[in-house]
Amino acid sequence: MKAVVGDILPLAIAVTISPVPIIAEILLLLSRKPLANGTAYVVGFVVGVAGVLGILVAVAGAMDLSAGSGPSSGAGTLQLALGVLLLVAAVRRFRGRPKPGEEASMPAWMDGIAGFSPGKSLGVGIVVGALNPKNLAVGLAAAVAIASASLSTGQAVGSVAVYVVVAVLGVAAPLVVLLASGDRARPILDGWKAWLGQNNATVMAVLFLVFAVVLIGKGLAGV
C-alpha cells in the first residue's frame, strides 16, 4: 500500500493546487453567506472527488489490471494514454495563457456566484470535484495505480481516503484562513484570488507537463 500511496500522492496534489476550484471557494467566502456557502462547497468537492475516484477504482478493478506482483501491460497502456492526453492539455493551456497586460477569463458558471445559496454551493462543489476534466484524468491515473496493485478492499479504501484528503486541501485552505483570521482574511483571500486567476493557465500547464512525463514514463515501463 505504501508504494501505491507514493504513486497517487502527486496526482492528488495536482487536484489540490488547481486554481479554478480554489478561486470558486474564495468567491463563495466573499458572498453574503460565507461560512455556509464555503463549507457546503468544500463538502460537495469532497463528495465529488471521492465518488468519482471510487467509481473509477471499481471500473479499473473490473478490468483486472493486476498481473500478480505488479501492474499488467493494460495498466501501462492506460497510463501511457493518459500521459499523452495530459501532454496535449499542457500545450493547449500554455498557448491559452493570458498575454502580458491581458486579464484572465474565468469560467462562465462563476457568474453570479456571490448570490449562491448553500444548496447550490454544495451542488457546484460536487460537479467541480467529480466532473472537472483534469480531476477525471488524474483520478483515472490514480484508479489505475490502485486497481493494479493487488490491494485488499481495506487497503484500496485507505488509498482512496488518502487521495481525497490531500486533494481537498486546496479548496479547504481559504475556509481555514477565514475561520482563523476573521475580518483580516479578506485582503489575504483577495490576493490569492488575483494571483490564481492571472496564473491559472501557466500553473495548470506546468502541472500537466510534469504528470504527463511521469505517466508516459510509467506507461512505457509497463507496456
Side-chain angles (χ1 to χ4, degrees):
M1 178 175 170
K2 290 181 180 179
V4 173
V5 170
D7 286 338
I8 66 175
L9 274 180
L11 298 169
I13 291 172
V15 177
T16 204
I17 61 178
S18 180
V20 169
I22 300 174
I23 293 171
E25 170 68 356
I26 292 172
L27 292 174
L28 289 170
L29 292 176
L30 300 175
S31 67
R32 293 192 298 268
K33 299 178 180 178
L35 287 179
N37 284 336
T39 302
Y41 176 81
V42 171
V43 171
F45 191 84
V46 170
V47 172
V49 171
V52 77
L53 182 58
I55 292 171
L56 291 173
V57 169
V59 172
M63 296 172 64
D64 192 20
L65 298 177
S66 174
S69 60
S72 67
S73 60
T77 301
L78 279 175
Q79 289 172 325
L80 183 59
L82 286 170
V84 172
L85 179 65
L86 288 178
L87 185 60
V88 172
V91 174
R92 293 186 62 183
R93 286 281 185 161
F94 187 76
R95 294 180 63 182
R97 72 192 188 283
K99 296 177 175 59
E102 181 182 355
E103 186 175 350
S105 61
M106 287 290 103
W109 60 265
M110 285 189 179
D111 294 341
I113 197 170
F116 278 15
S117 65
K120 189 169 184 179
S121 300
L122 176 69
V124 169
I126 293 173
V127 172
V128 171
L131 301 182
N132 183 312
K134 182 263 302 171
N135 288 3
L136 285 172
V138 297
L140 181 55
V144 169
I146 294 170
S148 63
S150 301
L151 300 177
S152 67
T153 300
Q155 290 174 325
V157 170
S159 299
V160 170
V162 170
Y163 178 94
V164 173
V165 168
V166 175
V168 77
L169 292 178
V171 296
L175 179 60
V176 172
V177 169
L178 181 66
L179 292 173
S181 303
D183 294 338
R184 294 174 297 169
R186 187 178 186 97
I188 298 173
L189 297 179
D190 280 336
W192 287 9
K193 177 170 68 70
W195 190 91
L196 290 169
Q198 197 62 28
N199 294 281
N200 172 42
T202 302
V203 170
M204 294 311 302
V206 172
L207 281 176
F208 285 163
L209 177 61
V210 170
F211 292 111
V213 172
V214 171
L215 287 173
I216 289 172
K218 286 181 175 293
L220 290 173
V223 171

